[in-house]
Amino acid sequence: MNTAPDMAAISEPETPRLDTTLREKARLALRDAILDGRLKAGEKLVERELCVLTGASRSALREALVLLETGGLIERQSYRGYRVAKLSTQKIFEIFELRAALETLVAELFTERASDQEIADLNDALTDLEQCLTDFDLQRMRTVKEVYYEILFTGCRNVEIRRSLENVIDRIYHLRSHLMNNPDRREASLQEMRRLTAALTSRDRLAARAASLSHLTAARDAVLNLMAES
Amino acid sequence: MNTAPDMAAISEPETPRLDTTLREKARLALRDAILDGRLKAGEKLVERELCVLTGASRSALREALVLLETGGLIERQSYRGYRVAKLSTQKIFEIFELRAALETLVAELFTERASDQEIADLNDALTDLEQCLTDFDLQRMRTVKEVYYEILFTGCRNVEIRRSLENVIDRIYHLRSHLMNNPDRREASLQEMRRLTAALTSRDRLAARAASLSHLTAARDAVLNLMAES
DNA sequence: CATCACAATATTGTATACAATAATGTGATG
DNA sequence: CATCACATTATTGTATACAATATTGTGATG
């Protein structure tokens, strides 16, 4: 049932040596600015202004903009430039529909393909998360959650799924942040992740799918409630 | 169960007016060149050469390259430029795993959300496809297949899923073309699509999922066989 | 003859200048 | 005063020039 494991070693002959170009720096700078709300939804993005913000020249900056556009974070209109993308209720539904299809699959695949080490790492991350909650360290909580997902995505052994997911998850990042301001949602979310982690640890495919799905459904409803308020 | 249908009309206030920039032209030119094999897998892409090929300047061209890179058609190495992406057996598995998760969902959603008109259009496309097969018009067959998928993706009412799928489908385009050279596979593929269309037409969610999945599985195995030969 | 150092070349990464299109302001006119 | 035409400005789209890095070639040296 496994997917040609002997092929795995052929893939990366050379060291990737991380990308240190200005384009990449500009992309990360813009991405962060959007994710933490310094650039707000609907706001117009003027290239020359972004140049001074990021320190990059227009050519490098524009390539970064193209990257963010394909990720869905910003939208472009011919000869009218970019805007930070807005999230409608409709888009929320679509994104969570996509996430539900892919993240449940990730959970299933993880139960079959992850190493024991990865399962241990996942449980460590969960423990860290519990600690963050008791410490009220919401900043660190986001980081640890990213680590948790990182382990999950790696353990499922499918880079394509990961790429598709990372883009859409970025787009609801700030909503998820807001969600964590609600103590009830914080506790509920952690409880769901406990259940998911337990299922993954016992390599119970069906339970993992169920836990993943109910976590996503709860998150979606919380996000929709949040949007309905404002 | 439907997703806020009253929201739909708010989205597009202005005419999209299709993108006629050189970047877009360069992107399409490169995409076509890769899809129909004029630029072969693994081949190095030198920017200056692509400029004369596409008629665009380097700045426009590079933005097109960034687009193709995020789509996975080409790969980049720092200061070493781009290459046309190669497909390993592993990648085939990953792509079909992703497609299986999303296309089965698309089929299910279509049965619940498509209009009667869209269902009629789908059947028309299938009829066209039958005609192509009897005429041995393989060129037109590809076009009609794209129309078929276009209807399917539109009918499921989820742009996010569509975006994720279109990229990965592009990447196995030339393999699918090769596949259609095999008469047995041609006939089998059409038979699978007949079954899928019937399920979609009767709005039978489970049957649609099953038909979609078996179509994908058959296509995947055919692709893997093709790769094993060469 | 193989191998290494290093210069020469090629190619990508970056910055800036120019052209095309859209947004804005201003004044004439009813 | 409202509105339209049109000039002005701003902004994006495109082309080209320059800098940094990688690749290639060449010759000295063991």
Side-chain angles (χ1 to χ4, degrees):
Chain A
M1 200 47 157
N2 244 341
T3 64
D6 50 337
M7 285 273 173
I10 305 178
S11 303
E12 278 83 16
E14 305 149 30
T15 313
R17 70 162 298 183
L18 73 158
D19 194 350
T20 176
T21 59
L22 278 187
R23 170 209 299 177
E24 188 61 12
K25 285 180 190 161
R27 188 194 125 249
L28 292 174
L30 288 178
R31 175 177 172 275
D32 288 348
I34 295 173
L35 292 194
D36 64 27
R38 303 205 316 277
L39 293 173
K40 285 164 195 168
E43 186 168 342
K44 184 153 178 20
L45 300 173
V46 178
E47 296 179 1
R48 234 162 29 91
E49 295 173 6
L50 299 182
C51 286
V52 307
L53 176 71
T54 64
S57 71
R58 266 191 75 207
S59 50
L61 177 88
R62 278 175 62 93
E63 291 176 11
L65 288 173
V66 170
L67 281 169
L68 292 176
E69 184 192 3
T70 61
L73 271 183
I74 63 178
E75 293 168 347
R76 172 172 156 277
Q77 278 187 312
S78 227
Y79 278 97
R80 273 184 247 179
Y82 292 90
R83 294 184 169 284
V84 179
K86 279 188 199 168
L87 276 181
S88 62
T89 307
Q90 169 66 20
K91 270 281 167 276
I92 299 287
F93 269 102
E94 293 185 16
I95 286 173
F96 272 95
E97 221 160 52
L98 177 60
R99 285 187 68 187
L102 295 186
E103 289 191 34
T104 54
L105 177 58
V106 166
E108 289 187 58
L109 296 178
F110 188 93
T111 64
E112 299 189 339
R113 300 179 184 168
S115 66
D116 290 344
Q117 181 61 52
E118 284 165 331
I119 288 182
D121 293 343
L122 204 65
N123 279 277
D124 290 347
L126 183 66
T127 306
D128 284 0
L129 219 50
E130 309 254 15
Q131 191 60 45
C132 291
L133 194 70
T134 61
D135 296 350
F136 289 102
D137 189 344
L138 303 187
Q139 182 77 22
R140 184 155 178 276
M141 193 162 175
R142 294 192 309 186
T143 311
V144 176
K145 264 197 178 174
E146 278 171 23
V147 170
Y148 186 94
Y149 270 90
E150 169 78 17
I151 299 167
L152 211 51
F153 288 160
T154 304
C156 82
R157 303 285 187 271
N158 189 319
V159 177
E160 299 305 318
I161 296 177
R162 181 208 201 112
R163 285 215 302 192
S164 291
L165 271 175
E166 279 175 341
N167 279 339
V168 296
I169 290 180
D170 267 1
R171 289 166 63 184
I172 53 172
Y173 180 91
H174 57 289
L175 288 175
R176 289 171 62 192
S177 294
H178 283 3
L179 237 48
M180 288 303 105
N181 290 335
N182 181 339
D184 291 345
R185 180 62 203 141
R186 271 205 300 272
E187 181 51 50
S189 174
L190 189 58
Q191 182 56 36
E192 290 151 21
M193 290 180 77
R194 282 195 203 99
R195 205 178 126 216
L196 174 61
T197 308
L200 293 171
T201 301
S202 58
R203 297 186 185 275
D204 184 339
R205 179 161 180 158
L206 290 181
R209 160 173 276 274
S212 175
L213 185 59
S214 69
H215 179 45
L216 278 166
T217 305
R220 183 197 63 184
D221 292 343
V223 165
L224 288 172
N225 281 335
L226 191 69
M227 287 190 69
E229 288 173 15
S230 57
Chain B
M1 201 47 158
N2 244 342
T3 64
D6 51 337
M7 286 272 173
I10 306 177
S11 305
E12 278 82 17
E14 305 151 28
T15 312
R17 70 164 297 185
L18 72 159
D19 195 350
T20 178
T21 59
L22 279 187
R23 170 208 299 177
E24 188 61 11
K25 285 178 191 163
R27 187 193 126 249
L28 292 174
L30 289 178
R31 175 176 172 275
D32 288 348
I34 294 173
L35 292 195
D36 64 27
R38 303 204 317 275
L39 293 174
K40 285 164 195 167
E43 185 168 344
K44 184 152 178 22
L45 299 174
V46 178
E47 295 179 2
R48 226 164 33 88
E49 296 174 5
L50 299 182
C51 286
V52 307
L53 176 71
T54 63
S57 71
R58 265 190 76 207
S59 50
L61 177 87
R62 279 175 61 94
E63 291 175 10
L65 287 173
V66 170
L67 281 169
L68 292 175
E69 183 192 3
T70 61
L73 271 183
I74 63 178
E75 293 166 348
R76 176 171 153 277
Q77 278 187 313
S78 229
Y79 278 98
R80 272 185 248 178
Y82 292 90
R83 294 185 169 285
V84 179
K86 277 188 198 166
L87 276 181
S88 61
T89 307
Q90 169 67 20
K91 269 282 167 274
I92 300 287
F93 270 101
E94 293 186 16
I95 286 173
F96 272 96
E97 220 161 49
L98 177 60
R99 283 187 70 187
L102 295 186
E103 290 192 32
T104 53
L105 178 58
V106 166
E108 290 187 59
L109 296 178
F110 188 94
T111 64
E112 299 189 339
R113 298 177 187 170
S115 66
D116 291 343
Q117 181 60 51
E118 283 166 333
I119 288 183
D121 293 343
L122 204 65
N123 279 279
D124 289 347
L126 183 66
T127 305
D128 284 359
L129 219 50
E130 310 255 15
Q131 190 60 46
C132 291
L133 194 70
T134 60
D135 296 350
F136 289 102
D137 189 344
L138 303 187
Q139 183 76 23
R140 183 154 179 278
M141 193 162 174
R142 295 192 309 187
T143 312
V144 177
K145 263 197 181 174
E146 279 170 24
V147 170
Y148 186 94
Y149 270 92
E150 169 78 16
I151 299 167
L152 211 50
F153 289 160
T154 304
C156 82
R157 304 282 186 272
N158 189 318
V159 177
E160 300 305 317
I161 295 177
R162 180 207 200 114
R163 286 215 301 194
S164 291
L165 271 175
E166 278 175 341
N167 279 339
V168 297
I169 289 180
D170 268 0
R171 288 167 65 184
I172 54 173
Y173 179 91
H174 57 289
L175 288 174
R176 290 171 63 193
S177 293
H178 282 4
L179 236 50
M180 288 302 105
N181 291 334
N182 181 339
D184 290 345
R185 180 61 203 143
R186 270 205 301 271
E187 181 51 51
S189 174
L190 189 59
Q191 182 56 36
E192 291 152 21
M193 290 180 76
R194 282 195 204 101
R195 205 179 126 216
L196 174 61
T197 308
L200 293 171
T201 301
S202 59
R203 298 186 185 275
D204 184 337
R205 179 161 181 158
L206 289 182
R209 159 172 276 273
S212 174
L213 185 58
S214 68
H215 179 43
L216 278 167
T217 305
R220 183 198 63 186
D221 292 344
V223 165
L224 289 172
N225 282 335
L226 191 70
M227 288 190 70
E229 289 172 16
S230 58

